[in-house]
Amino acid sequence: MKTTYDHIVIGAGAIGSAAAYRLAAAGHADVLVLEQYELGHTHGASEDHSRIIRHAYHSTVYTALTPAAYAAWDEVEAETGLQLVFRVGGLDLAVAGTPGERELNTYEASLAPLAGTGVTWERLDAAEVRSRWPQWRIGDDVVGLFQPDGGILDVRRATAAHIALARARGVEFAPGTTVLGLTSTDTHVTVSTSRGEFTAGSVVLCAASWTPRLLPGLGVDWPITLSQEQVSYFATPNLRDFAPDRFPMWIWHGEPFFYGFPVYGEVAVKAARDLSGRFVTQQTRSDVPDPAETELVAAFLRDRLPGAAGPELVSKTCVYDLPPDREFVLDHVPGHPRVVAFIGAGHAAKFASLLGRILADLATTGATEYPIDAFRADRPALTDPAFIPSYRLTAPAP
């Protein structure tokens, strides 16, 4: 392996693999990807079968990007012949008169700019929800928002596809290589690793929850909080009722905030709550699931989706990397124009292929055509010590 490259990508998860592919696809094939574990490992945020993909969001900042995100996945599917996105529909539910209903209203409002583009949605009352999906046990006080293009992104398959496409274009991958530090000058970036030093004209930093370890060497201290999360698969005996052609991806806008999937990847339904509040460091995080968290989700299923409840098949942990406002960080590192960084805030997978393109743009030309100003590294959430963290993807207070 040589030691000098045009571009180095740190991290071979969903975002890093996409950046490597998009760099090479744009004609920049002299790329090295450094990964501390084996490719496809289960220690980061890109493992497991499924992630939510949708147009409906808490902010038009994201819906401005979702059409391009879907199009980016279409490109990868066309090139590989693999299906990565499964449009099983997306159903958001809340109890009327609660903050959750306000979130649904904001989700619907975020879709308005997409009217006339082929993106459709509809509001549903409880009777309509029960008629279409009798699996739900809800009262008449529940309201819904259905978006047909919502569904499942197979994140593990997507990451593997990006890696294969990048390799086909000459990108080198170096698994088992831990990055120890970064330094940059006006002409290059030096990456110190467990296998020696590498230099490049630019570095794309996609290290997820390991990013805070690398920032101090660049004189940057973004207030990134790590939260340990987990998902559980429940072996429902009612498989046909929860097959993807009969049951959608869903989000329950309550307190707690739950989400789940039809049967996919495992012979079981997948469900979890968003944001457990179990804040950790890389030293204190655990791969061991918390039985109390599993029971919290199981109790919700027994209450609202009783047919989905079944024995726990498997539970898995991961770590969210959370800026104080829980919005992406997608920018050059301040003071280091040759280093581009991304923080995903626990909801980036659906955008991964598009984010790879944007990161490649920033690394090679310094700018991008996509609207990402809201993700700047100099915004108050990252620079104002008085900023009050708010980690839920929610509507602003009225």
Side-chain angles (χ1 to χ4, degrees), residues 248-272:
M249 172 274 293
W250 56 269
I251 299 174
W252 180 269
H253 294 259
E255 189 54 58
F257 182 109
F258 293 102
Y259 65 94
F261 299 81
V263 173
Y264 182 82
E266 305 286 352
V267 184
V269 297
K270 174 181 171 180

Side-chain angles (χ1 to χ4, degrees), residues 212-230:
R213 289 184 177 181
L214 301 178
L215 292 175
L218 298 174
V220 175
D221 186 21
W222 291 335
I224 305 300
T225 298
L226 306 185
S227 175
Q228 182 165 315
E229 307 297 328
Q230 77 181 53

Side-chain angles (χ1 to χ4, degrees), residues 100-370:
E101 184 183 21
R102 190 172 74 241
E103 291 179 1
L104 257 65
N105 294 339
T106 301
Y107 272 45
E108 184 175 19
S110 77
L111 292 167
L114 302 182
T117 67
V119 176
T120 62
W121 63 92
E122 55 185 318
R123 289 299 290 258
L124 305 174
D125 62 23
E128 290 170 314
V129 172
R130 290 191 297 259
S131 175
R132 296 191 194 188
W133 304 285
Q135 299 91 330
W136 282 102
R137 185 164 67 189
I138 55 175
D140 290 340
D141 59 345
V142 170
V143 293
L145 173 68
F146 182 67
Q147 207 275 297
D149 282 335
I152 299 169
L153 168 71
D154 192 318
V155 67
R156 184 163 61 182
R157 184 182 293 184
T159 301
H162 280 142
I163 290 171
L165 292 174
R167 279 177 162 159
R169 289 167 169 79
V171 172
E172 293 184 43
F173 286 80
T177 307
T178 301
V179 175
L180 305 175
L182 298 170
T183 57
S184 74
T185 70
D186 291 342
T187 60
H188 65 276
V189 183
T190 299
V191 184
S192 300
T193 81
S194 58
R195 297 173 65 176
E197 288 190 346
F198 298 88
T199 60
S202 79
V203 162
V204 180
L205 179 56
C206 303
S209 56
W210 287 272
T211 303
R213 289 184 177 181
L214 301 178
L215 292 175
L218 298 174
V220 175
D221 186 21
W222 291 335
I224 305 300
T225 298
L226 306 185
S227 175
Q228 182 165 315
E229 307 297 328
Q230 77 181 53
V231 300
S232 295
Y233 286 86
F234 298 94
T236 172
N238 305 301
L239 293 174
R240 192 69 190 95
D241 291 343
F242 293 93
D245 62 340
R246 291 193 179 182
F247 198 71
M249 172 274 293
W250 56 269
I251 299 174
W252 180 269
H253 294 259
E255 189 54 58
F257 182 109
F258 293 102
Y259 65 94
F261 299 81
V263 173
Y264 182 82
E266 305 286 352
V267 184
V269 297
K270 174 181 171 180
R273 75 162 161 165
D274 181 69
L275 198 61
S276 70
R278 184 178 178 182
F279 299 121
V280 297
T281 66
Q282 280 297 342
Q283 291 71 40
T284 63
R285 66 171 293 185
S286 172
D287 292 330
V288 179
D290 178 3
E293 185 71 17
T294 304
E295 173 54 27
L296 180 72
V297 178
F300 174 83
L301 294 182
R302 291 194 296 267
D303 184 34
R304 298 292 188 175
L305 280 172
E312 177 189 9
L313 178 66
V314 64
S315 294
K316 305 176 183 181
T317 68
C318 67
V319 174
Y320 286 175
D321 47 340
L322 302 173
D325 56 1
R326 206 176 168 184
E327 309 290 5
F328 296 161
V329 180
L330 179 53
D331 201 353
H332 293 89
V333 174
H336 301 274
R338 292 184 176 273
V339 181
V340 181
F342 178 73
I343 298 289
H347 60 107
K350 64 185 71 64
F351 296 98
S353 200
L354 174 63
L355 291 169
R357 175 175 287 151
I358 294 171
L359 287 164
D361 290 344
L362 296 178
T364 55
T365 69
T368 184
E369 65 181 286
Y370 298 97

